[in-house]
Amino acid sequence: MPRETVKDFITLTRSLWGDPGRAEARPGGDLSLTVTVMHYTSARMGRIFVARVDHGEDLQSGIREILSREGISHAVALLLGALKEGSLVTGPEAPVIPPIPHMVKFGGGWEVAGIATVYPGEDGPEIHMHGSIGRGDHALSGCLRGRAETYLVMEVVIFELTGLSVRRKKDEETGLHLPDFDADG
């Protein structure tokens, strides 16, 4: 890669995401880019649960029931099926901090593919669920909030995470409930 292209790439990367770390061009034109990840930890896979949330049931309530019954505090869940109605945050009203959520209500039966994380919060397990929904030629992606009524069926696979103590904590600057990795030591 020519040195000018590398310079343009670094400038573009910094303008989009801030300083990405250290980037340098190597002899022969290869680009070496070092990126620092600020917050992370490791976990082990625990038990795996496969569940079905039926027509008319609330998706998050169904997941919470399994978490409570099985004593699961940390997890990742895959979601597949359809929802009759619910609310989705499809980004902020404007790109400011703290963000004001742009809420979209949907109804009438929408196909869903999604993923969720579960960490303990102040009031028990907090589920952070994102997905893409579609109906006809309309599609939305975002964060599922509040009650989401199942249409026909939602299939849920819950992967328990063990060996970590990450908690979800309100970030004062953004107003979001973020994973707190300091709790993990």
Side-chain angles (χ1 to χ4, degrees), residues 11 26 31 98 165-166:
T11 302
R26 292 183 180 167
L31 176 65
S165 58
V166 174

Side-chain angles (χ1 to χ4, degrees), residues 45-49 72 74-78 157-161:
M45 185 70 70
R47 301 168 292 170
I48 301 172
F49 297 89
I72 300 169
H74 299 79
V76 172
L78 300 178
V157 180
I158 299 172
F159 300 88
E160 180 182 37
L161 302 175

Side-chain angles (χ1 to χ4, degrees), residues 72-87:
I72 300 169
S73 61
H74 299 79
V76 172
L78 300 178
L79 318 160
L80 187 66
L83 293 173
K84 181 177 178 185
E85 62 185 18
S87 297

